[in-house]
Amino acid sequence: MKSSRFAAIAAAALVCPGLVLVGSPASANPAAGAPGAHNAITDVPGIQVGQVQSDTAPYLTGTSVVYMPQMSVASVDQRGGAPATKETDLLSPLNSNPGVNAIQLGGSSMYGLSATNGIIRWLEDRGEGVRVGAGGVAPIVPAADIFDLGRGGDPKARTSAEWGYLAAQATSDGPVRQGGVGGGTGARGGGLRGGVGTASVHLGDGIYVGAMVIVNPAGSPVDPADCTLYGVKFGIGNEFAGYKAPKKQECNPPSTAAQQPANTTIAVVATNAPLEKAAAQRMSGNAHDGMARAISPIHTLGDGDTVFAVSTGKGEALQINDPADTRQLNAIFNAGASTLARAIAKAVLSSESIGNTTSYCDRYPSACKGMKQLKQWRTQGNAPDVTPETFAQATQALAQTPVPAPAGADNGKPKPKPKAAPAGNTTQQESQNGMVLASDNTGGPTLSTGVTTGLLAAGILGVGLLGMHLRGRRRGQASDQLA
């Protein structure tokens, strides 16, 4: 990782972040400076994505999950004035959390945070998480959600544990669908429809940086001077081929003055370079520069802008206080910001009009007319709709008693995904389309992640104090013997 070859590539990427470098990369990797095979966060080894949604009235929301089969180092930087987040304190370098299993980027604001219960249960069924007790695990799943309540017609039509469970079931390391899907189904920004976007870049030596974002800002991704997207200028190669500045007669940006001050842009940036936790936090902070490049204004009091950073790399970690690592880290951090800016532009371009919310490409058709890649961005990747049938299957699966993981099992090793139980009768109150409007059913009595992590930390502290006490007694006994 700390080879001179990577240092040279990192330095070049730092100076010219949009430059495609000429070299002789491994056959499985693109040229240094080029996007990965999917141009998505899943190009980062060790990252998978799953998404589900519903745009059937009264729903207009969804859930996206970034899953790491091997527990990975992670941190977070939150800068908006109105966040809806969960388990972010665990990610501070000052705290002892060893890593995360998954991160949720969801809709339904604070209510949607309950969808993490389904992700946690799915992980528990696979035996993944921090080991607790005999065969128990405490999956670590931080989350951030956007505000989209009521955009489908009913503020109570929101995600729940079932949605998180189904999103986790849909995870894969393949292409990622973009636009109005997953947690970005009900997203808006600058008077236009927002959504999910993703991008990646290969820095060389098999090191990737990727980003996934849900664009739902109080500000706008559109430059009012010419109605172009701020983020397009950070594109790599022909990434935005066919895109043009809109015709002057089309350039009449929608006003954001009447927009509700309840928004949020949330993202995950990831790399397979091994980072210490403090470096991951720095990466998440630098990635906010990507938001500022692609959205204006950003980080308002009505936003909950949050960026998570994940390192899936193994081996000797890059450290922010090691001068030998400075150039590599700066290249990774800068790539994270630029990749996030690209992902924001892709989210806006991929989204399609729905109801009375117009997409960028419908408002400025001349800008998108020549972009043949839009169809691929909007359709590739798995993003199943939540239906009454799949919702009932998830409810049934969550109602089953969790099976303890085998003693000594490797919680980092990927395991087969469990099949959902057959749909059964439910006694819960259902909406018109058969889905429970709000459910917190997590399938049996389990300690919350915060409680289990707290107990684990307390246990570690207790063992440490006991060890100090015993060492003190031994030193005292030795002194008595010498006397």
Side-chain angles (χ1 to χ4, degrees):
M1 174 60 207
K2 296 186 178 182
S3 66
S4 58
R5 179 186 173 204
F6 179 74
I9 292 173
L14 175 62
V15 175
C16 302
L19 180 65
V20 177
L21 303 178
V22 178
S24 54
S27 59
N29 296 315
H38 303 306
N39 196 7
I41 195 172
T42 49
D43 289 319
V44 177
I47 295 289
Q48 298 185 21
V49 169
Q51 304 188 93
V52 296
Q53 66 284 317
S54 176
D55 58 8
T56 301
Y59 287 87
L60 190 62
T61 191
T63 301
S64 300
V65 58
V66 178
Y67 164 56
M68 285 67 69
Q70 299 283 342
M71 181 173 272
S72 299
V73 171
S75 195
V76 66
D77 190 298
Q78 195 283 314
R79 298 193 183 183
T85 55
K86 179 180 179 181
E87 300 284 35
T88 51
D89 283 355
L90 281 174
L91 305 184
S92 167
L94 298 177
N95 293 331
S96 61
N97 167 254
V100 302
N101 299 99
I103 295 173
Q104 174 183 295
L105 300 178
S108 300
S109 194
M110 71 292 293
Y111 296 103
L113 296 174
S114 67
T116 60
N117 294 335
I119 302 169
I120 290 169
R121 174 58 192 276
W122 181 81
L123 289 163
E124 181 187 23
D125 288 344
R126 294 161 60 85
E128 297 182 31
V130 177
R131 290 287 161 193
V132 289
V137 292
I140 308 299
V141 185
D145 285 354
I146 65 166
F147 184 92
D148 60 3
L149 295 174
R151 291 179 180 172
D154 186 348
K156 293 184 178 180
R158 54 205 185 217
T159 63
S160 61
E162 287 84 354
W163 296 60
Y165 191 88
L166 293 170
Q169 279 191 324
T171 52
S172 80
D173 59 3
V176 177
R177 191 173 300 181
Q178 300 174 80
V181 296
T185 302
R188 297 176 183 173
L192 301 169
R193 194 177 188 195
V196 170
T198 187
S200 70
V201 63
H202 177 229
L203 295 183
D205 265 3
I207 300 300
Y208 287 84
V209 171
M212 180 173 173
V213 64
I214 297 178
V215 180
N216 187 61
S220 175
V222 180
D223 185 343
D226 59 4
C227 295
T228 58
L229 290 173
Y230 292 117
V232 167
K233 68 183 69 174
F234 299 97
I236 295 176
N238 63 353
E239 182 174 28
F240 295 107
Y243 178 82
K244 297 180 179 180
K247 295 179 179 179
K248 290 185 178 180
Q249 58 266 34
E250 294 175 358
C251 188
N252 183 24
S255 172
T256 60
Q259 192 166 322
Q260 290 185 350
N263 296 84
T264 289
T265 296
I266 52 180
V268 175
V269 291
T271 182
N272 62 324
L275 304 181
E276 64 169 347
K277 199 173 183 181
Q281 185 178 54
R282 186 72 182 184
M283 183 180 183
S284 64
N286 281 43
H288 276 280
D289 293 349
M291 284 192 185
R293 295 170 188 173
I295 298 169
S296 181
I298 195 68
H299 305 150
T300 72
L301 292 177
D303 284 301
D305 303 330
T306 302
V307 178
F308 298 93
V310 175
S311 166
T312 62
K314 306 300 178 185
E316 185 179 0
L318 296 172
Q319 300 179 8
I320 58 175
N321 62 353
D322 186 344
D325 294 339
T326 298
R327 292 173 71 84
Q328 293 98 315
L329 287 172
N330 281 336
I332 292 166
F333 297 163
N334 189 56
S338 296
T339 304
L340 181 52
R342 292 162 48 213
I344 290 170
K346 290 178 69 180
V348 177
L349 289 167
S350 299
S351 293
E352 300 176 272
S353 299
I354 188 168
N356 60 359
T357 304
T358 305
S359 70
Y360 177 86
C361 287
D362 282 343
R363 189 172 185 90
Y364 310 107
S366 62
C368 306
K369 185 177 180 180
M371 297 189 70
K372 298 180 180 179
Q373 64 272 47
L374 291 181
K375 182 178 180 180
Q376 184 181 26
W377 293 355
R378 294 166 177 169
T379 59
Q380 66 180 357
N382 186 32
D385 289 334
V386 177
T387 66
E389 292 75 22
T390 59
F391 185 90
Q393 290 171 2
T395 299
Q396 191 78 359
L398 291 169
Q400 295 177 1
T401 302
V403 178
D410 181 5
N411 67 304
K413 185 178 181 180
K415 301 167 183 64
K417 298 181 181 180
K419 295 182 179 179
N425 295 329
T426 175
T427 58
Q428 295 171 296
Q429 184 178 0
E430 298 182 347
S431 66
Q432 292 180 350
N433 66 355
M435 289 187 283
V436 178
L437 292 179
S439 171
D440 290 323
N441 178 17
T442 57
T446 57
L447 289 174
S448 70
T449 303
V451 173
T452 50
T453 305
L455 290 174
L456 178 63
I460 294 171
L461 178 61
V463 171
L465 292 174
L466 178 60
M468 292 172 62
H469 173 69
L470 292 176
R471 286 194 295 273
R473 289 190 60 186
R474 293 192 191 102
R475 285 195 292 269
Q477 291 170 356
S479 298
D480 292 341
Q481 292 170 358
L482 289 173

